Amino acid sequence: MFLIRFILRVISTVFHLIFSLMKLVVWTISLALLLLFVGQWVTGGQLPVASYLTELPQRFLSNPTQIPTDLTNSNSDERHRWDQNQALVYISTEDSTMVSAYRDAMRQWNQTGVFQFIETDDASLAQIEADVYSDSQVSAAGETESQTNVLTNRLNKAKVGLNAHYLSNPYYGYSYERVVNTAAHELGHAIGLDHTDEESVMQPAGSFYSIQARDIEVVRQLYQD
């Protein structure tokens, strides 16, 4: 009799544990779906389901404000530059926010008087292409690629890109001002500037600074002749 009661108690305990586990699974799935719907609502449906679920653990472990502006690192003793302190720019994206950010960044540089960016509608004439990409595998908000004549140390072509994966996702906290700073930072690379730890638009992390007096002086010295 005692053995039968013991067996029944064990069976009851096992079923209770299984039932509790099932409830936990249901609540976990419900919470995940709720977070998913909230993420979709916040991003206006622009965040893919797979991307959201993949990034969810990372979001709890990382600080989104510390995303590097880019991963460019130059140890060259001699700066690259254009022949003149001006360049034709073709904006190849149709993202209205990014187009505005590029134009505002160019306008800010132009107002310094040390370099002039001139927008063109003809891609074949452009010296600099301004584009947008989306890549979650790269932990940077932008990138710059350039071609340089190794004999003259003059720039021949450059392409700057803004990473919409970070800049267009509200979670990462990029205000429009910081998007413009990111664009100004990449354009800075496109005219020959390197990273610096000083208070500067060329600071590598965060895009918290716009063009500073230090940046203007560096460009002036670079193009002084």
Side-chain angles (χ1 to χ4, degrees):
M1 189 69 175
F2 174 78
L3 181 59
I4 294 175
R5 288 180 178 176
F6 177 75
I7 294 174
L8 290 175
R9 184 174 300 173
V10 171
I11 293 174
S12 176
T13 301
V14 171
F15 274 107
H16 179 74
L17 289 174
I18 293 174
F19 181 71
S20 299
L21 182 60
M22 291 178 62
K23 287 199 301 183
L24 179 61
V25 170
V26 170
W27 276 106
T28 302
I29 293 176
S30 299
L31 179 59
L33 289 174
L34 178 61
L35 290 173
L36 176 61
F37 288 134
V38 170
Q40 291 289 319
W41 175 72
V42 169
T43 61
Q46 298 300 312
L47 185 63
V49 173
S51 173
Y52 186 85
L53 294 178
T54 300
E55 294 177 6
L56 191 58
Q58 180 181 355
R59 294 182 177 197
F60 285 105
L61 298 175
S62 61
N63 185 343
T65 65
Q66 297 303 314
I67 298 168
T69 303
D70 57 32
L71 303 178
T72 302
N73 184 21
S74 174
N75 296 318
S76 173
D77 293 330
E78 189 172 4
R79 295 180 184 274
H80 307 309
R81 49 158 284 186
W82 298 96
D83 280 333
Q84 302 178 21
N85 61 337
Q86 65 179 39
L88 293 174
V89 181
Y90 176 72
I91 301 177
S92 56
T93 180
E94 295 182 356
D95 185 317
S96 59
T97 299
M98 299 304 181
V99 170
S100 295
Y102 273 128
R103 287 174 176 165
D104 284 341
M106 289 191 292
R107 187 177 302 111
Q108 289 180 7
W109 273 114
N110 291 349
Q111 288 173 349
T112 67
V114 293
F115 198 93
Q116 292 293 308
F117 290 99
I118 305 169
E119 186 177 352
T120 177
D121 293 329
D122 190 340
S124 65
L125 297 177
Q127 296 161 290
I128 300 173
E129 178 186 355
D131 199 6
V132 173
Y133 66 102
S134 182
D135 190 350
S136 62
Q137 303 303 311
V138 178
S139 58
E143 65 178 9
T144 299
E145 301 175 357
S146 59
Q147 300 176 8
T148 306
N149 186 317
V150 294
L151 296 179
T152 63
N153 208 40
R154 293 294 186 260
L155 291 164
N156 295 326
K157 207 81 172 176
K159 180 176 181 178
V160 299
L162 298 178
N163 193 346
H165 177 79
Y166 299 110
L167 300 178
S168 296
N169 189 333
Y171 169 78
Y172 294 100
Y174 278 89
S175 63
Y176 178 73
E177 180 182 5
R178 287 185 62 198
V179 176
V180 173
N181 290 347
T182 303
H185 177 106
E186 300 306 330
L187 289 172
H189 281 312
I191 64 176
L193 300 187
D194 293 329
H195 283 158
T196 177
D197 291 328
E198 298 179 34
E199 186 172 307
S200 163
V201 73
M202 300 310 297
Q203 195 175 92
S207 296
F208 295 109
Y209 294 105
S210 58
I211 300 169
Q212 304 295 307
R214 179 261 180 205
D215 304 312
I216 298 173
E217 183 56 30
V218 171
V219 176
R220 177 180 289 111
Q221 292 179 10
L222 183 60
Y223 289 88
Q224 63 184 353
D225 58 347

